């Protein structure tokens, strides 16, 4: 991925949300994976939490972070499968103003190279709400590594060329300006 070293790195404030009925902070390997990668890349881990796989709880946490001016981006892990308790994409749909369809598509392309047709079970999703980027990844550490290392690491780096999500951040709410 082309990084333009002549451009300034801009740290992004990123919150990590783990969606799980069974994990806590001591067993949240996927959340740990994301948090470590976020900080290693030079970004700010603005917040971290775990909520049960219930759409109302996920939605409430997302809305809280969307309203928080100290959070620029939320990355969730878990709840993106197809079982009855997997409701993260439904909760995201309740808050998204614009979906970034390419995120889920690209995640599944990358995942296909590693796990084959099993990637069809992933409902990874991305979008924007209230000027905040929202991305939902599956709950495995491998999926978190793939989503961060191969997509988000680059798109959340202001030096990435030819374009990146950071340079769009000041314009995400331009429709609200009178």
């Amino acid at each position: 991925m082309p990084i333009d070293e002549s451009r300034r790195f801009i740290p992004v404030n990123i919150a990590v949300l783990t969606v799980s009925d069974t994990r806590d902070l001591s067993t949240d390997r996927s959340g740990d994976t994301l948090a470590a990668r976020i900080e290693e890349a030079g970004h700010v881990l603005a917040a971290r939490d775990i909520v049960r796989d219930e759409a109302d709880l996920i939605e409430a946490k997302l809305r809280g972070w969307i309203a928080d001016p100290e959070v620029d981006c939320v990355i969730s892990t878990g709840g993106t499968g197809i079982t009855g308790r997997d409701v993260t994409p439904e909760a995201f749909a309740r808050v998204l103003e614009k979906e970034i369809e390419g995120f889920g598509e690209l995640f599944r392309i990358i995942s296909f190279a590693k796990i084959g047709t099993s990637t069809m079970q992933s409902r990874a999703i991305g979008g924007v709400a209230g000027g905040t980027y929202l991305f939902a990844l599956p709950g495995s550490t491998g999926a978190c590594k793939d989503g961060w290392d191969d997509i988000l690491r680059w798109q959340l780096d202001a030096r990435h060329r030819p374009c990146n999500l950071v340079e769009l951040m000041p314009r995400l709410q331009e429709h609200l300006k009178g």
Side-chain angles (χ1 to χ4, degrees), residues 4 35 38 54 63 76 79 87 96 101 106 116 129 144 147 160 175:
D4 183 348
I38 287 164
E54 296 178 19
R63 288 193 187 281
S76 74
V87 295
L96 288 180
E101 289 88 352
L106 184 55
C144 290
H160 182 264
H175 63 290

Side-chain angles (χ1 to χ4, degrees), residues 62-163:
L62 292 175
R63 288 193 187 281
W65 282 342
I66 291 165
D68 185 342
E70 297 302 314
V71 175
D72 302 315
C73 177
V74 176
I75 305 172
S76 74
T77 174
T80 62
I82 58 174
T83 68
R85 295 286 299 154
D86 292 322
V87 295
T88 300
E90 288 77 13
F92 269 60
R94 293 179 185 180
V95 301
L96 288 180
E97 295 166 4
K98 293 185 179 186
E99 186 174 344
I100 304 172
E101 289 88 352
F103 174 75
E105 295 164 357
L106 184 55
F107 176 81
R108 284 180 283 279
I109 289 169
I110 291 165
S111 182
F112 178 77
K114 299 176 182 184
I115 65 168
T117 58
S118 295
T119 194
M120 69 177 265
Q121 297 177 32
S122 167
R123 297 186 302 143
I125 186 173
V128 180
T132 303
Y133 288 116
L134 305 170
F135 299 100
L137 294 168
S140 72
T141 55
C144 290
K145 290 174 185 176
D146 293 346
W148 178 263
D149 295 350
D150 297 336
I151 306 171
L152 295 173
R153 168 183 171 199
W154 305 105
Q155 281 299 299
L156 294 175
D157 190 326
R159 303 167 302 166
H160 182 264
R161 308 309 301 141
C163 57

Side-chain angles (χ1 to χ4, degrees), residues 9-31:
F9 177 80
I10 301 170
V12 177
N13 296 325
I14 304 172
V16 172
L17 177 63
T18 298
V19 177
S20 175
D21 291 336
T22 59
R23 294 181 190 167
D24 60 31
L25 282 177
S26 70
T27 59
D28 182 19
R29 291 182 34 233
S30 295

Side-chain angles (χ1 to χ4, degrees), residues 42-65:
H43 297 293
V44 176
L45 182 62
R48 182 172 174 190
D49 204 354
I50 299 175
V51 298
R52 293 182 54 79
D53 210 334
E54 296 178 19
D56 291 343
L57 297 177
I58 300 165
E59 177 185 0
K61 182 53 71 174
L62 292 175
R63 288 193 187 281
W65 282 342

